[in-house]
């Protein structure tokens, strides 16, 4: 008999019915031409086919936690534990398709407010039980894997019930949201007061305020609204040593900014329960357009000029030739064929698609900012494709995970990785990562785009498609990711916005130094002496 699972849990475990993207036959034929025969089909495995060990949570800690949150909010059933067992990386998803095992929490606890979170942590510290904070479950670097380390048991602390808008200060433009509020819910709650966060990463539909803060998230419109850490005015955390509140003013010289220690701490220094955030008025006007530039070097030079002349659009996304080719090949309509002819006539030999989008309070404001952007693009030979391409991207910008599910179903290894570097090293970094992935994977499509730009540099976001190894799909990607990470080390950052988690932890010391790691360990010792918080992550 199939175990009943509520709607939210079903979304956490497998795509909703009808939610997965459909891959046309011509798209599959094109992929086979590029990467060779695909791996074996692998749909999601049913819960009954996966191994779920019995819960190791002792009766006394279970009873103590139930006394705080209520017995109905301590979940032990296999399906409920599986739903919070991992994130959404390629390795997580292939394991859910029956390739290899993964750790499962011994229980799921759903506290109802910050005080209950605090009490649960104190109980877990007393009984030496590990705690993995769980929001939207969208980590792609092992950040929510149910590792127990040396603990007797580990529980997933699901923050779904912390879903309130606590307050809005319209004068200061500060809103306080609880950690379990999702991106769409945050915007709905704020819109009632005339405000928005403007934080729209690809994980927007599922990720939470606490997750955004814990991982130093960057949204697609961060050129206009800022990265998430730029929005954080204050933060409230529960720790085994007591509650920790940070942020009393818009700026301070009262020592190092400990808010920035909490933001990006990935649950290893405390469980974020509330975040005070800078908000902006809901934009009255949005305009998105598409352009094409000839060649990667020319394209990145144009984006650098935009950044350094303060003319970036809120969304500025440049695809390299390979990513642009895939976009055109998988949308091979008569309009696309006409576009190819038009670009050839305009002398574009190596098309790189550029998406730009502006949001503002009035048509006049958006028109002025658009003019600033287009004036910078003109000397680089940018060919305007028009609003249809920009709007098409905006409407489909959250479709990536669904497309990935469809590719996985059809035997494709598909995964992403990201980094950032200063402008002077950006192309060298791209070349090094591409070479490392190609050497490891063989026939593969390796796409890259600039997703966020700054005066001094930019991020690079890679998407890899290759035929899945039917016998060792986990080893296949682990080797490729290790090679790419080694190529990144010494040139760029190991993560621009995906965070450290488990996957990037081996490369952290190379970036911040052994002394930096010691500083983080000392901070963790101060707030979490017994090491119950998110074992195995960050450090």
């Amino acid at each position: 008999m199939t175990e009943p699972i509520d709607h939210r849990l079903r979304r956490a475990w497998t795509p909703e019915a009808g939610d997965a993207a459909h891959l046309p036959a011509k798209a599959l034929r094109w992929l086979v031409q590029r990467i060779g025969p695909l791996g074996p089909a692998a749909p999601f495995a049913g819960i009954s086919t996966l191994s779920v060990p019995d819960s190791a949570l002792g009766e006394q800690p279970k009873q103590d936690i139930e006394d705080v949150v209520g017995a109905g909010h301590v979940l032990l059933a296999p399906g409920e534990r599986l739903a919070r067992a991992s994130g959404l990386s390629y390795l997580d998803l292939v394991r859910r398709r029956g390739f290899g095992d993964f750790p499962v929490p011994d229980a799921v606890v759903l506290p109802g407010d910050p005080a209950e979170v605090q009490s649960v942590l104190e109980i877990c510290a007393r009984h030496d039980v590990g705690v993995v904070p769980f929001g939207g479950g969208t980590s792609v670097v092992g950040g929510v894997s149910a590792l127990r380390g040396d603990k007797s048991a580990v529980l997933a602390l699901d923050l779904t019930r912390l879903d309130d808008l606590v307050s809005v200060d319209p004068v200061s433009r500060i809103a306080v949201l609880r950690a379990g509020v999702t991106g769409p819910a945050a915007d709905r709650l704020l819109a009632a007061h005339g405000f928005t966060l403007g934080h729209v990463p690809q994980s927007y539909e599922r990720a939470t305020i606490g997750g955004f803060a814990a991982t130093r998230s960057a949204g697609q419109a961060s050129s206009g609204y800022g990265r998430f850490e730029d929005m954080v005015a204050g933060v409230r955390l529960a720790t085994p040593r007591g509650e920790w509140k940070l942020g009393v003013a818009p700026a301070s010289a009262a020592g190092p900014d400990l808010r920035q220690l909490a933001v990006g701490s990935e649950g290893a220094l405390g469980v974020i329960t509330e975040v005070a955030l800078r908000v902006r008025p809901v934009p009255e006007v949005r305009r998105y357009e598409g352009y094409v530039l000839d060649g990667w070097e020319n394209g990145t030079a144009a984006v650098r000029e935009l950044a350094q002349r303060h003319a970036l659009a809120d969304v500025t996304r440049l695809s390299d030739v390979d990513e642009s080719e895939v976009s055109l090949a998988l949308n091979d309509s008569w309009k696309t064929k006409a576009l190819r002819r038009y670009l050839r006539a305009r002398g574009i030999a190596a098309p790189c698609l550029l998406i730009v989008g502006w949001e503002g309070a009035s048509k006049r404001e958006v028109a002025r900012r658009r003019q600033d952007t287009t004036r910078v693009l003109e000397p680089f030979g940018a060919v305007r494709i028009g609003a249809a391409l920009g709007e098409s991207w905006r409407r489909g910008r959250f479709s990536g995970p669904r497309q990935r599910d469809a590719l996985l179903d059809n035997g494709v290894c598909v995964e992403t990785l990201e980094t950032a570097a200063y402008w002077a090293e950006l192309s060298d970094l791209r070349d090094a990562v591409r070479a490392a992935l190609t050497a490891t994977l063989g026939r593969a499509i390796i796409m890259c785009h600039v997703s966020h730009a700054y005066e001094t540099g930019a991020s690079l976001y890679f998407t890899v498609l290759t035929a899945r190894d039917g016998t060792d799909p986990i080893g296949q990607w682990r080797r490729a990711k290790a090679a790419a990470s080694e190529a990144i080390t010494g040139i760029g950052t190991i993560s621009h916005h995906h965070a450290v988690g488990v996957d990037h932890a081996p490369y952290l010391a190379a970036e911040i130094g052994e002394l930096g790691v010691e500083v983080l360990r000392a901070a963790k010792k101060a707030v979490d002496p017994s090491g119950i918080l998110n074992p195995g992550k960050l450090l």
Side-chain angles (χ1 to χ4, degrees), residues 258-283:
L258 294 182
R259 286 177 302 182
Q260 295 303 324
L261 182 62
V263 175
S265 58
E266 301 186 41
L269 301 182
V271 178
I272 294 170
T273 57
E274 290 180 358
V275 186
L277 293 160
R278 180 262 293 146
V279 292
R280 298 272 176 82
V282 175

Side-chain angles (χ1 to χ4, degrees), residues 248-259:
V248 299
S252 171
D257 187 353
L258 294 182
R259 286 177 302 182

Side-chain angles (χ1 to χ4, degrees), residues 204-215:
Y204 171 79
E205 294 173 310
R206 292 177 57 163
T208 60
I209 295 297
F212 292 150
T215 59

